[in-house]
Amino acid sequence: MIDIHCHILHGVDDGAKDLAESVAMARIAYEDGVRDIIVTPHFNHGFLTMADVVHRKLEELERELDRQGVDIRLHPGTEVQLVSAAFFDEHRRNRSFALLGRPGTHLLIEQRWSDYDPGTPEIVQRLLDAGVTPILAHPERHPFFRDDPELLPQLIELGLWTQVSADSLVGNFGPDAQRYGRALIAAGHAHTIATDAHNVNRKPNLGAGMAIYEEMAGAAARTELEARMRSIVAG
């Protein structure tokens, strides 16, 4: 399995606090069946994790995983919050944040927690025009998507992918996120499943999310979903 959203990098955001916790998270993920992880530290006003830091920390963690014999492949990325159009445009122009995987054909974006960014459709379209597929992190956790049933489908119609979190599907973020996350699967609007793991307590649990996806959508749909996630890291 491939986890495309994981805060496993040490000491950069509210994820793994140190290298030891990063390794512990990797061991949990490996035991769960994960073999590839895209590291996705936050990129927002609170945690401005620059691309060069992502690559440096990734290499540090790779060396430690190799030393300890944890057979997990790491890939670069960031979770870019849509703070504002100006914020996004400036940092995209300066190549401040890392795209997902070595091919760099996808970008993980996140809505603000306070409200929906009305500039989202324009940003999505600009990314698509540049050959980059935006993937929206955990839309099931944002009340404005649940309250306006047309909002997310309009973005999907443009070409946006979604990332539904395993924790939402198992109920760890409450019944509203669980219901909407499962509704996205039922509607065919869950394009990827990931963990958004942050530490050994909010831990990697992709297997649980994938099991729910397969139970609801079927084995063939799971195969298609896994191929879609493989394309993010393999191009």
Side-chain angles (χ1 to χ4, degrees), residues 52-86:
D52 60 334
V53 174
V54 171
H55 287 280
R56 177 171 55 81
K57 289 280 190 173
L58 184 152
E59 290 170 1
E60 290 177 8
L61 180 53
E62 279 182 327
R63 288 194 295 269
E64 188 61 18
L65 293 179
D66 286 345
R67 190 183 72 82
Q68 297 199 32
V70 183
D71 191 16
I72 290 276
R73 292 177 293 270
L74 301 178
H75 309 269
T78 37
E79 180 185 14
V80 181
Q81 190 172 71
L82 302 184
V83 175
S84 69

PDB file of all heavy atoms in Angstrom, residues 52-86:
ATOM      1  N   ASP A  52      13.296  22.589   0.365  1.00  0.00           N
ATOM      2  CA  ASP A  52      14.659  22.138   0.660  1.00  0.00           C
ATOM      3  C   ASP A  52      14.728  21.439   2.012  1.00  0.00           C
ATOM      4  O   ASP A  52      15.480  20.474   2.188  1.00  0.00           O
ATOM      5  CB  ASP A  52      15.655  23.297   0.589  1.00  0.00           C
ATOM      6  CG  ASP A  52      15.350  24.417   1.569  1.00  0.00           C
ATOM      7  OD1 ASP A  52      14.162  24.577   1.955  1.00  0.00           O
ATOM      8  OD2 ASP A  52      16.284  25.140   1.960  1.00  0.00           O
ATOM      9  N   VAL A  53      13.913  21.899   2.961  1.00  0.00           N
ATOM     10  CA  VAL A  53      13.862  21.252   4.274  1.00  0.00           C
ATOM     11  C   VAL A  53      13.231  19.868   4.141  1.00  0.00           C
ATOM     12  O   VAL A  53      13.703  18.897   4.755  1.00  0.00           O
ATOM     13  CB  VAL A  53      13.068  22.110   5.275  1.00  0.00           C
ATOM     14  CG1 VAL A  53      12.880  21.370   6.598  1.00  0.00           C
ATOM     15  CG2 VAL A  53      13.759  23.448   5.505  1.00  0.00           C
ATOM     16  N   VAL A  54      12.190  19.765   3.342  1.00  0.00           N
ATOM     17  CA  VAL A  54      11.543  18.467   3.115  1.00  0.00           C
ATOM     18  C   VAL A  54      12.553  17.453   2.596  1.00  0.00           C
ATOM     19  O   VAL A  54      12.666  16.334   3.117  1.00  0.00           O
ATOM     20  CB  VAL A  54      10.369  18.596   2.120  1.00  0.00           C
ATOM     21  CG1 VAL A  54       9.850  17.214   1.714  1.00  0.00           C
ATOM     22  CG2 VAL A  54       9.246  19.434   2.709  1.00  0.00           C
ATOM     23  N   HIS A  55      13.322  17.838   1.576  1.00  0.00           N
ATOM     24  CA  HIS A  55      14.284  16.903   0.986  1.00  0.00           C
ATOM     25  C   HIS A  55      15.400  16.554   1.970  1.00  0.00           C
ATOM     26  O   HIS A  55      15.826  15.387   2.040  1.00  0.00           O
ATOM     27  CB  HIS A  55      14.854  17.497  -0.298  1.00  0.00           C
ATOM     28  CG  HIS A  55      13.883  17.494  -1.436  1.00  0.00           C
ATOM     29  ND1 HIS A  55      13.636  16.372  -2.197  1.00  0.00           N
ATOM     30  CD2 HIS A  55      13.072  18.462  -1.938  1.00  0.00           C
ATOM     31  CE1 HIS A  55      12.726  16.649  -3.122  1.00  0.00           C
ATOM     32  NE2 HIS A  55      12.367  17.908  -2.985  1.00  0.00           N
ATOM     33  N   ARG A  56      15.862  17.528   2.737  1.00  0.00           N
ATOM     34  CA  ARG A  56      16.941  17.252   3.688  1.00  0.00           C
ATOM     35  C   ARG A  56      16.472  16.314   4.794  1.00  0.00           C
ATOM     36  O   ARG A  56      17.156  15.330   5.127  1.00  0.00           O
ATOM     37  CB  ARG A  56      17.451  18.563   4.286  1.00  0.00           C
ATOM     38  CG  ARG A  56      18.537  18.379   5.350  1.00  0.00           C
ATOM     39  CD  ARG A  56      19.164  19.703   5.747  1.00  0.00           C
ATOM     40  NE  ARG A  56      18.205  20.693   6.179  1.00  0.00           N
ATOM     41  CZ  ARG A  56      17.673  20.751   7.407  1.00  0.00           C
ATOM     42  NH1 ARG A  56      18.021  19.835   8.322  1.00  0.00           N
ATOM     43  NH2 ARG A  56      16.818  21.685   7.735  1.00  0.00           N
ATOM     44  N   LYS A  57      15.313  16.597   5.360  1.00  0.00           N
ATOM     45  CA  LYS A  57      14.786  15.746   6.426  1.00  0.00           C
ATOM     46  C   LYS A  57      14.433  14.352   5.906  1.00  0.00           C
ATOM     47  O   LYS A  57      14.618  13.343   6.599  1.00  0.00           O
ATOM     48  CB  LYS A  57      13.543  16.404   7.041  1.00  0.00           C
ATOM     49  CG  LYS A  57      13.829  17.645   7.872  1.00  0.00           C
ATOM     50  CD  LYS A  57      14.312  17.263   9.256  1.00  0.00           C
ATOM     51  CE  LYS A  57      14.363  18.456  10.176  1.00  0.00           C
ATOM     52  NZ  LYS A  57      14.665  18.067  11.583  1.00  0.00           N
ATOM     53  N   LEU A  58      13.915  14.291   4.678  1.00  0.00           N
ATOM     54  CA  LEU A  58      13.593  13.001   4.084  1.00  0.00           C
ATOM     55  C   LEU A  58      14.842  12.139   3.968  1.00  0.00           C
ATOM     56  O   LEU A  58      14.822  10.940   4.290  1.00  0.00           O
ATOM     57  CB  LEU A  58      12.941  13.216   2.715  1.00  0.00           C
ATOM     58  CG  LEU A  58      12.426  12.000   1.943  1.00  0.00           C
ATOM     59  CD1 LEU A  58      11.274  12.414   1.036  1.00  0.00           C
ATOM     60  CD2 LEU A  58      13.508  11.353   1.095  1.00  0.00           C
ATOM     61  N   GLU A  59      15.940  12.740   3.523  1.00  0.00           N
ATOM     62  CA  GLU A  59      17.191  11.980   3.392  1.00  0.00           C
ATOM     63  C   GLU A  59      17.692  11.513   4.754  1.00  0.00           C
ATOM     64  O   GLU A  59      18.198  10.388   4.885  1.00  0.00           O
ATOM     65  CB  GLU A  59      18.239  12.841   2.701  1.00  0.00           C
ATOM     66  CG  GLU A  59      17.933  13.072   1.221  1.00  0.00           C
ATOM     67  CD  GLU A  59      18.838  14.111   0.587  1.00  0.00           C
ATOM     68  OE1 GLU A  59      19.726  14.639   1.312  1.00  0.00           O
ATOM     69  OE2 GLU A  59      18.675  14.400  -0.606  1.00  0.00           O
ATOM     70  N   GLU A  60      17.548  12.341   5.785  1.00  0.00           N
ATOM     71  CA  GLU A  60      17.942  11.929   7.137  1.00  0.00           C
ATOM     72  C   GLU A  60      17.131  10.722   7.590  1.00  0.00           C
ATOM     73  O   GLU A  60      17.675   9.749   8.139  1.00  0.00           O
ATOM     74  CB  GLU A  60      17.731  13.084   8.125  1.00  0.00           C
ATOM     75  CG  GLU A  60      18.684  14.258   7.958  1.00  0.00           C
ATOM     76  CD  GLU A  60      18.355  15.382   8.920  1.00  0.00           C
ATOM     77  OE1 GLU A  60      17.496  15.184   9.818  1.00  0.00           O
ATOM     78  OE2 GLU A  60      18.933  16.473   8.767  1.00  0.00           O
ATOM     79  N   LEU A  61      15.841  10.778   7.364  1.00  0.00           N
ATOM     80  CA  LEU A  61      14.977   9.677   7.779  1.00  0.00           C
ATOM     81  C   LEU A  61      15.252   8.431   6.952  1.00  0.00           C
ATOM     82  O   LEU A  61      15.262   7.307   7.494  1.00  0.00           O
ATOM     83  CB  LEU A  61      13.506  10.089   7.670  1.00  0.00           C
ATOM     84  CG  LEU A  61      12.462   9.044   8.066  1.00  0.00           C
ATOM     85  CD1 LEU A  61      12.727   8.483   9.462  1.00  0.00           C
ATOM     86  CD2 LEU A  61      11.058   9.650   7.980  1.00  0.00           C
ATOM     87  N   GLU A  62      15.488   8.588   5.656  1.00  0.00           N
ATOM     88  CA  GLU A  62      15.829   7.435   4.813  1.00  0.00           C
ATOM     89  C   GLU A  62      17.064   6.713   5.354  1.00  0.00           C
ATOM     90  O   GLU A  62      17.091   5.473   5.420  1.00  0.00           O
ATOM     91  CB  GLU A  62      16.095   7.889   3.381  1.00  0.00           C
ATOM     92  CG  GLU A  62      14.857   8.100   2.544  1.00  0.00           C
ATOM     93  CD  GLU A  62      15.201   8.492   1.117  1.00  0.00           C
ATOM     94  OE1 GLU A  62      16.224   9.174   0.901  1.00  0.00           O
ATOM     95  OE2 GLU A  62      14.437   8.128   0.215  1.00  0.00           O
ATOM     96  N   ARG A  63      18.073   7.481   5.703  1.00  0.00           N
ATOM     97  CA  ARG A  63      19.310   6.857   6.224  1.00  0.00           C
ATOM     98  C   ARG A  63      19.036   6.086   7.502  1.00  0.00           C
ATOM     99  O   ARG A  63      19.569   4.979   7.703  1.00  0.00           O
ATOM    100  CB  ARG A  63      20.378   7.927   6.457  1.00  0.00           C
ATOM    101  CG  ARG A  63      20.980   8.500   5.180  1.00  0.00           C
ATOM    102  CD  ARG A  63      22.244   9.284   5.452  1.00  0.00           C
ATOM    103  NE  ARG A  63      21.977  10.475   6.249  1.00  0.00           N
ATOM    104  CZ  ARG A  63      21.700  11.682   5.729  1.00  0.00           C
ATOM    105  NH1 ARG A  63      21.606  11.834   4.419  1.00  0.00           N
ATOM    106  NH2 ARG A  63      21.488  12.715   6.510  1.00  0.00           N
ATOM    107  N   GLU A  64      18.196   6.652   8.376  1.00  0.00           N
ATOM    108  CA  GLU A  64      17.902   5.979   9.643  1.00  0.00           C
ATOM    109  C   GLU A  64      17.049   4.728   9.420  1.00  0.00           C
ATOM    110  O   GLU A  64      17.264   3.696  10.078  1.00  0.00           O
ATOM    111  CB  GLU A  64      17.202   6.934  10.606  1.00  0.00           C
ATOM    112  CG  GLU A  64      17.014   6.400  12.013  1.00  0.00           C
ATOM    113  CD  GLU A  64      18.322   6.068  12.725  1.00  0.00           C
ATOM    114  OE1 GLU A  64      19.405   6.557  12.293  1.00  0.00           O
ATOM    115  OE2 GLU A  64      18.264   5.319  13.719  1.00  0.00           O
ATOM    116  N   LEU A  65      16.108   4.799   8.503  1.00  0.00           N
ATOM    117  CA  LEU A  65      15.307   3.615   8.199  1.00  0.00           C
ATOM    118  C   LEU A  65      16.177   2.509   7.604  1.00  0.00           C
ATOM    119  O   LEU A  65      16.020   1.330   7.950  1.00  0.00           O
ATOM    120  CB  LEU A  65      14.177   3.972   7.234  1.00  0.00           C
ATOM    121  CG  LEU A  65      13.079   4.895   7.769  1.00  0.00           C
ATOM    122  CD1 LEU A  65      12.039   5.174   6.686  1.00  0.00           C
ATOM    123  CD2 LEU A  65      12.402   4.305   8.999  1.00  0.00           C
ATOM    124  N   ASP A  66      17.101   2.891   6.737  1.00  0.00           N
ATOM    125  CA  ASP A  66      18.028   1.904   6.179  1.00  0.00           C
ATOM    126  C   ASP A  66      18.876   1.283   7.280  1.00  0.00           C
ATOM    127  O   ASP A  66      19.087   0.065   7.309  1.00  0.00           O
ATOM    128  CB  ASP A  66      18.942   2.565   5.139  1.00  0.00           C
ATOM    129  CG  ASP A  66      18.218   2.867   3.838  1.00  0.00           C
ATOM    130  OD1 ASP A  66      17.116   2.324   3.625  1.00  0.00           O
ATOM    131  OD2 ASP A  66      18.749   3.662   3.039  1.00  0.00           O
ATOM    132  N   ARG A  67      19.363   2.121   8.193  1.00  0.00           N
ATOM    133  CA  ARG A  67      20.220   1.633   9.280  1.00  0.00           C
ATOM    134  C   ARG A  67      19.477   0.641  10.168  1.00  0.00           C
ATOM    135  O   ARG A  67      20.049  -0.360  10.615  1.00  0.00           O
ATOM    136  CB  ARG A  67      20.720   2.808  10.117  1.00  0.00           C
ATOM    137  CG  ARG A  67      21.809   2.448  11.129  1.00  0.00           C
ATOM    138  CD  ARG A  67      22.208   3.645  11.973  1.00  0.00           C
ATOM    139  NE  ARG A  67      21.188   4.005  12.932  1.00  0.00           N
ATOM    140  CZ  ARG A  67      21.017   3.398  14.119  1.00  0.00           C
ATOM    141  NH1 ARG A  67      21.788   2.381  14.470  1.00  0.00           N
ATOM    142  NH2 ARG A  67      20.062   3.804  14.938  1.00  0.00           N
ATOM    143  N   GLN A  68      18.177   0.906  10.384  1.00  0.00           N
ATOM    144  CA  GLN A  68      17.390   0.044  11.266  1.00  0.00           C
ATOM    145  C   GLN A  68      16.636  -1.060  10.518  1.00  0.00           C
ATOM    146  O   GLN A  68      15.912  -1.840  11.131  1.00  0.00           O
ATOM    147  CB  GLN A  68      16.399   0.893  12.069  1.00  0.00           C
ATOM    148  CG  GLN A  68      17.078   1.892  13.008  1.00  0.00           C
ATOM    149  CD  GLN A  68      16.139   2.380  14.093  1.00  0.00           C
ATOM    150  OE1 GLN A  68      15.247   1.650  14.542  1.00  0.00           O
ATOM    151  NE2 GLN A  68      16.351   3.601  14.548  1.00  0.00           N
ATOM    152  N   GLY A  69      16.811  -1.112   9.201  1.00  0.00           N
ATOM    153  CA  GLY A  69      16.204  -2.193   8.427  1.00  0.00           C
ATOM    154  C   GLY A  69      14.712  -2.102   8.257  1.00  0.00           C
ATOM    155  O   GLY A  69      14.026  -3.130   8.184  1.00  0.00           O
ATOM    156  N   VAL A  70      14.187  -0.871   8.178  1.00  0.00           N
ATOM    157  CA  VAL A  70      12.750  -0.672   7.946  1.00  0.00           C
ATOM    158  C   VAL A  70      12.567  -0.393   6.458  1.00  0.00           C
ATOM    159  O   VAL A  70      12.961   0.654   5.959  1.00  0.00           O
ATOM    160  CB  VAL A  70      12.194   0.495   8.783  1.00  0.00           C
ATOM    161  CG1 VAL A  70      10.682   0.623   8.571  1.00  0.00           C
ATOM    162  CG2 VAL A  70      12.518   0.297  10.262  1.00  0.00           C
ATOM    163  N   ASP A  71      11.952  -1.319   5.753  1.00  0.00           N
ATOM    164  CA  ASP A  71      11.906  -1.271   4.293  1.00  0.00           C
ATOM    165  C   ASP A  71      10.722  -0.447   3.791  1.00  0.00           C
ATOM    166  O   ASP A  71       9.773  -0.961   3.187  1.00  0.00           O
ATOM    167  CB  ASP A  71      11.846  -2.692   3.728  1.00  0.00           C
ATOM    168  CG  ASP A  71      12.062  -2.722   2.220  1.00  0.00           C
ATOM    169  OD1 ASP A  71      12.553  -1.713   1.676  1.00  0.00           O
ATOM    170  OD2 ASP A  71      11.734  -3.750   1.600  1.00  0.00           O
ATOM    171  N   ILE A  72      10.790   0.848   4.070  1.00  0.00           N
ATOM    172  CA  ILE A  72       9.776   1.801   3.612  1.00  0.00           C
ATOM    173  C   ILE A  72      10.441   2.778   2.654  1.00  0.00           C
ATOM    174  O   ILE A  72      11.495   3.333   2.965  1.00  0.00           O
ATOM    175  CB  ILE A  72       9.167   2.590   4.789  1.00  0.00           C
ATOM    176  CG1 ILE A  72       8.296   1.683   5.664  1.00  0.00           C
ATOM    177  CG2 ILE A  72       8.377   3.802   4.297  1.00  0.00           C
ATOM    178  CD1 ILE A  72       6.877   1.493   5.178  1.00  0.00           C
ATOM    179  N   ARG A  73       9.834   2.990   1.493  1.00  0.00           N
ATOM    180  CA  ARG A  73      10.339   3.986   0.543  1.00  0.00           C
ATOM    181  C   ARG A  73       9.637   5.317   0.812  1.00  0.00           C
ATOM    182  O   ARG A  73       8.409   5.375   0.926  1.00  0.00           O
ATOM    183  CB  ARG A  73      10.076   3.540  -0.893  1.00  0.00           C
ATOM    184  CG  ARG A  73      10.890   2.317  -1.324  1.00  0.00           C
ATOM    185  CD  ARG A  73      10.530   1.868  -2.724  1.00  0.00           C
ATOM    186  NE  ARG A  73       9.166   1.356  -2.798  1.00  0.00           N
ATOM    187  CZ  ARG A  73       8.841   0.077  -2.594  1.00  0.00           C
ATOM    188  NH1 ARG A  73       9.794  -0.810  -2.285  1.00  0.00           N
ATOM    189  NH2 ARG A  73       7.583  -0.322  -2.683  1.00  0.00           N
ATOM    190  N   LEU A  74      10.421   6.381   0.890  1.00  0.00           N
ATOM    191  CA  LEU A  74       9.881   7.708   1.154  1.00  0.00           C
ATOM    192  C   LEU A  74       9.893   8.556  -0.118  1.00  0.00           C
ATOM    193  O   LEU A  74      10.789   8.433  -0.950  1.00  0.00           O
ATOM    194  CB  LEU A  74      10.699   8.413   2.236  1.00  0.00           C
ATOM    195  CG  LEU A  74      10.785   7.727   3.594  1.00  0.00           C
ATOM    196  CD1 LEU A  74      11.674   8.530   4.533  1.00  0.00           C
ATOM    197  CD2 LEU A  74       9.397   7.544   4.215  1.00  0.00           C
ATOM    198  N   HIS A  75       8.898   9.438  -0.218  1.00  0.00           N
ATOM    199  CA  HIS A  75       8.778  10.315  -1.372  1.00  0.00           C
ATOM    200  C   HIS A  75       8.438  11.716  -0.872  1.00  0.00           C
ATOM    201  O   HIS A  75       7.709  11.861   0.112  1.00  0.00           O
ATOM    202  CB  HIS A  75       7.678   9.818  -2.315  1.00  0.00           C
ATOM    203  CG  HIS A  75       7.811   8.368  -2.673  1.00  0.00           C
ATOM    204  ND1 HIS A  75       8.508   7.932  -3.778  1.00  0.00           N
ATOM    205  CD2 HIS A  75       7.339   7.252  -2.065  1.00  0.00           C
ATOM    206  CE1 HIS A  75       8.454   6.618  -3.837  1.00  0.00           C
ATOM    207  NE2 HIS A  75       7.751   6.167  -2.813  1.00  0.00           N
ATOM    208  N   PRO A  76       8.930  12.754  -1.543  1.00  0.00           N
ATOM    209  CA  PRO A  76       8.711  14.121  -1.067  1.00  0.00           C
ATOM    210  C   PRO A  76       7.285  14.604  -1.293  1.00  0.00           C
ATOM    211  O   PRO A  76       6.553  14.099  -2.152  1.00  0.00           O
ATOM    212  CB  PRO A  76       9.698  14.945  -1.903  1.00  0.00           C
ATOM    213  CG  PRO A  76       9.859  14.155  -3.162  1.00  0.00           C
ATOM    214  CD  PRO A  76       9.769  12.717  -2.759  1.00  0.00           C
ATOM    215  N   GLY A  77       6.901  15.605  -0.517  1.00  0.00           N
ATOM    216  CA  GLY A  77       5.599  16.241  -0.674  1.00  0.00           C
ATOM    217  C   GLY A  77       5.393  17.297   0.394  1.00  0.00           C
ATOM    218  O   GLY A  77       6.245  17.492   1.275  1.00  0.00           O
ATOM    219  N   THR A  78       4.291  17.993   0.321  1.00  0.00           N
ATOM    220  CA  THR A  78       3.843  18.919   1.357  1.00  0.00           C
ATOM    221  C   THR A  78       2.324  18.980   1.312  1.00  0.00           C
ATOM    222  O   THR A  78       1.700  18.613   0.309  1.00  0.00           O
ATOM    223  CB  THR A  78       4.394  20.356   1.165  1.00  0.00           C
ATOM    224  OG1 THR A  78       4.446  20.672  -0.217  1.00  0.00           O
ATOM    225  CG2 THR A  78       5.762  20.536   1.772  1.00  0.00           C
ATOM    226  N   GLU A  79       1.725  19.451   2.389  1.00  0.00           N
ATOM    227  CA  GLU A  79       0.289  19.703   2.452  1.00  0.00           C
ATOM    228  C   GLU A  79       0.113  21.217   2.483  1.00  0.00           C
ATOM    229  O   GLU A  79       0.340  21.851   3.511  1.00  0.00           O
ATOM    230  CB  GLU A  79      -0.335  19.052   3.694  1.00  0.00           C
ATOM    231  CG  GLU A  79      -1.830  19.273   3.809  1.00  0.00           C
ATOM    232  CD  GLU A  79      -2.407  18.729   5.099  1.00  0.00           C
ATOM    233  OE1 GLU A  79      -1.632  18.417   6.033  1.00  0.00           O
ATOM    234  OE2 GLU A  79      -3.643  18.613   5.185  1.00  0.00           O
ATOM    235  N   VAL A  80      -0.262  21.778   1.358  1.00  0.00           N
ATOM    236  CA  VAL A  80      -0.297  23.234   1.198  1.00  0.00           C
ATOM    237  C   VAL A  80      -1.693  23.754   1.521  1.00  0.00           C
ATOM    238  O   VAL A  80      -2.670  23.406   0.850  1.00  0.00           O
ATOM    239  CB  VAL A  80       0.096  23.638  -0.235  1.00  0.00           C
ATOM    240  CG1 VAL A  80       0.082  25.163  -0.377  1.00  0.00           C
ATOM    241  CG2 VAL A  80       1.458  23.067  -0.603  1.00  0.00           C
ATOM    242  N   GLN A  81      -1.767  24.589   2.533  1.00  0.00           N
ATOM    243  CA  GLN A  81      -3.056  25.172   2.891  1.00  0.00           C
ATOM    244  C   GLN A  81      -3.365  26.364   1.988  1.00  0.00           C
ATOM    245  O   GLN A  81      -2.478  27.179   1.685  1.00  0.00           O
ATOM    246  CB  GLN A  81      -3.061  25.626   4.352  1.00  0.00           C
ATOM    247  CG  GLN A  81      -4.441  26.020   4.858  1.00  0.00           C
ATOM    248  CD  GLN A  81      -4.453  26.286   6.352  1.00  0.00           C
ATOM    249  OE1 GLN A  81      -3.910  27.294   6.807  1.00  0.00           O
ATOM    250  NE2 GLN A  81      -5.059  25.383   7.108  1.00  0.00           N
ATOM    251  N   LEU A  82      -4.623  26.469   1.571  1.00  0.00           N
ATOM    252  CA  LEU A  82      -5.057  27.596   0.750  1.00  0.00           C
ATOM    253  C   LEU A  82      -5.350  28.782   1.670  1.00  0.00           C
ATOM    254  O   LEU A  82      -6.498  29.162   1.893  1.00  0.00           O
ATOM    255  CB  LEU A  82      -6.278  27.208  -0.075  1.00  0.00           C
ATOM    256  CG  LEU A  82      -6.098  26.003  -1.011  1.00  0.00           C
ATOM    257  CD1 LEU A  82      -7.352  25.782  -1.847  1.00  0.00           C
ATOM    258  CD2 LEU A  82      -4.887  26.185  -1.913  1.00  0.00           C
ATOM    259  N   VAL A  83      -4.272  29.355   2.193  1.00  0.00           N
ATOM    260  CA  VAL A  83      -4.390  30.486   3.112  1.00  0.00           C
ATOM    261  C   VAL A  83      -5.036  31.666   2.393  1.00  0.00           C
ATOM    262  O   VAL A  83      -5.948  32.317   2.897  1.00  0.00           O
ATOM    263  CB  VAL A  83      -3.011  30.877   3.666  1.00  0.00           C
ATOM    264  CG1 VAL A  83      -3.103  32.127   4.530  1.00  0.00           C
ATOM    265  CG2 VAL A  83      -2.412  29.717   4.454  1.00  0.00           C
ATOM    266  N   SER A  84      -4.544  31.950   1.201  1.00  0.00           N
ATOM    267  CA  SER A  84      -5.091  32.987   0.328  1.00  0.00           C
ATOM    268  C   SER A  84      -4.520  32.761  -1.058  1.00  0.00           C
ATOM    269  O   SER A  84      -3.508  32.065  -1.224  1.00  0.00           O
ATOM    270  CB  SER A  84      -4.733  34.384   0.827  1.00  0.00           C
ATOM    271  OG  SER A  84      -3.341  34.617   0.685  1.00  0.00           O
ATOM    272  N   ALA A  85      -5.144  33.389  -2.053  1.00  0.00           N
ATOM    273  CA  ALA A  85      -4.635  33.260  -3.418  1.00  0.00           C
ATOM    274  C   ALA A  85      -3.234  33.857  -3.513  1.00  0.00           C
ATOM    275  O   ALA A  85      -2.350  33.298  -4.177  1.00  0.00           O
ATOM    276  CB  ALA A  85      -5.580  33.948  -4.399  1.00  0.00           C
ATOM    277  N   ALA A  86      -3.013  34.988  -2.828  1.00  0.00           N
ATOM    278  CA  ALA A  86      -1.707  35.634  -2.872  1.00  0.00           C
ATOM    279  C   ALA A  86      -0.640  34.752  -2.243  1.00  0.00           C
ATOM    280  O   ALA A  86       0.475  34.631  -2.767  1.00  0.00           O
ATOM    281  CB  ALA A  86      -1.767  36.988  -2.168  1.00  0.00           C
TER     282      ALA A  86
END
